[in-house]
Amino acid sequence: MDLLALQSSVFLFTTAFQLLFHQVKSVTPPIYNDQVLPSYGTITTSVNGSVMRATLNNPPINLYDYRLSADLLSLVRYLENRTDIKVVILCSANPDYFIAHYDIHLIDIKSPPPPPTNTTEVGLALLATRTKLATLPIIFIAEISGRASGAGNELIVQSDMRFAGPNTKLSQLEIGFGLLPGAGGLQFLVKLIGRARAFEYILSGNPVDARTAEAIGWVNKAYASRRELHDGVQSLAQRIATFPKAALAATKERINFDKPSERSLNGDNDIFNALSSAAEAQKRADRYLKLSDNQIGNQFELNLTEDLEELGK
């Protein structure tokens, strides 16, 4: 075979492989992309130039329930078509809660959420949102006030940057329910704070305040007041937004090159699902719902991470 024929054969083979690879990738569309999700009004947005501020408001404790789950997925899907947006700030209207945690009714077999909630779909929406946070060519910044535990912290650690106000409390409290972090918290915390500290905080369920979180790398910076937090994050976002979007997106992609793999993340979720159906996890979920007066934001809820041992009594 002469050189020209060889080059032609290589070109044809490469082209065919690329076409096949594209076809294989395209047969598995992102979750829910063919569905119109309902809007529950738990997120309000405002735009200043190329910066969007998305404010979470799902009273009384910003629970990660079917409403917030659907609205967060709707938001990131909407952002896929907003080529003008370069930075999104995720913040909360509730000074005591960024996102409290996952709705425990979603894992409680005796006390599931009322119809039409589909617990499987809520979980899939959470995972789809997680993936889009990492892959969208937009910079996501978490502006944290109040408590963020479980799924709330998982959203935070998978944002591109995190900044904390003075009353911040962060934790992965799943251990108290007989579970492990199943939506990315485990893998991303190891990356952020190291293996030994991940063991410490995930196995104890202990909360971390803003200053400690800053010191160990859980957040970028701790601020002394909510006003300083708001202004500092807004100023950073506006500065980032002055730069070309293609450069921002390329930098994000390369920084995320060694992020936890989807295989590892999905493995955590599979184990979470298996553990959640065990008798011990169900007993603890039932006790939590009783002690929290059904997740209304009572004193037990406010001190939940400090009083996790109560769930085993």
Side-chain angles (χ1 to χ4, degrees):
M1 180 181 293
D2 60 31
L3 179 61
L4 181 61
L6 178 60
Q7 289 175 331
S8 177
S9 298
V10 170
F11 173 79
L12 289 172
F13 175 80
T14 303
T15 303
F17 178 82
Q18 289 173 337
L19 287 172
L20 176 60
F21 180 69
H22 175 75
Q23 290 171 352
V24 169
K25 287 207 307 182
S26 65
V27 297
T28 308
I31 296 170
Y32 294 147
N33 266 16
D34 59 345
Q35 298 182 27
V36 177
L37 295 174
S39 173
Y40 295 101
T42 65
I43 301 175
T44 57
T45 61
S46 60
V47 176
N48 183 352
S50 296
V51 176
M52 174 183 285
R53 180 170 286 270
T55 304
L56 314 179
N57 189 17
N58 189 25
I61 61 172
N62 273 5
L63 202 61
Y64 207 120
D65 60 6
Y66 70 94
R67 292 179 290 263
L68 185 56
S69 177
D71 285 351
L72 278 168
L73 182 55
S74 293
L75 172 66
V76 293
R77 285 178 53 191
Y78 168 72
L79 288 168
E80 288 180 306
N81 300 312
R82 285 295 300 266
T83 56
D84 58 315
I85 299 298
K86 298 179 182 179
V87 183
V88 172
I89 300 168
L90 299 170
C91 60
S92 171
N94 187 333
D96 293 323
Y97 293 95
F98 181 83
I99 296 176
H101 48 72
Y102 204 52
D103 180 3
I104 300 305
H105 285 293
L106 293 168
I107 63 171
D108 194 301
I109 295 172
K110 285 171 55 179
S111 182
T117 305
N118 182 310
T119 57
T120 300
E121 287 187 356
V122 174
L124 291 175
L126 170 59
L127 299 183
T129 300
R130 173 199 76 196
T131 300
K132 290 183 184 296
L133 285 177
T135 57
L136 280 175
I138 292 171
I139 307 305
F140 288 93
I141 303 177
E143 181 185 297
I144 313 156
S145 284
R147 295 153 181 78
S149 297
N153 185 65
E154 290 180 302
L155 182 73
I156 286 169
V157 298
Q158 291 174 90
S159 297
D160 300 312
M161 287 173 272
R162 294 151 291 284
F163 297 88
N167 66 332
T168 293
K169 278 188 181 180
L170 306 177
S171 72
Q172 291 296 160
L173 47 59
E174 288 85 354
I175 196 73
F177 290 86
L179 306 169
L180 56 65
L186 188 154
Q187 303 288 338
F188 277 84
L189 267 183
V190 172
K191 291 281 188 181
L192 287 173
I193 66 176
R195 180 174 175 271
R197 286 199 173 105
F199 269 119
E200 176 185 353
Y201 286 104
I202 294 173
L203 293 182
S204 69
N206 280 335
V208 59
D209 60 26
R211 290 298 177 191
T212 305
E214 177 189 44
I216 65 177
W218 201 318
V219 302
N220 294 64
K221 184 176 180 179
Y223 284 89
S225 71
R226 287 193 77 194
R227 173 49 59 186
E228 291 177 65
L229 170 67
H230 174 279
D231 293 349
V233 171
Q234 191 69 35
S235 176
L236 175 64
Q238 294 294 160
R239 176 177 170 82
I240 291 171
T242 65
F243 302 121
K245 182 165 184 174
L248 298 176
T251 302
K252 172 174 176 172
E253 181 181 10
R254 298 310 298 167
I255 289 175
N256 283 341
F257 181 76
D258 69 342
K259 74 177 182 65
S261 70
E262 285 297 309
R263 180 178 180 182
S264 294
L265 294 169
N266 291 335
D268 291 350
N269 184 249
D270 290 341
I271 296 170
F272 175 92
N273 290 332
L275 289 172
S276 68
S277 62
E280 183 63 29
Q282 291 298 309
K283 182 183 77 172
R284 288 170 178 260
D286 290 339
R287 179 148 176 80
Y288 161 76
L289 290 172
K290 180 179 179 180
L291 291 172
S292 68
D293 292 330
N294 200 24
Q295 308 179 120
I296 64 170
N298 64 5
Q299 193 61 42
F300 178 77
E301 183 71 56
L302 283 168
N303 297 321
L304 175 58
T305 50
E306 291 87 349
D307 296 335
L308 275 179
E309 300 97 320
E310 293 294 321
L311 300 183
K313 295 180 180 178

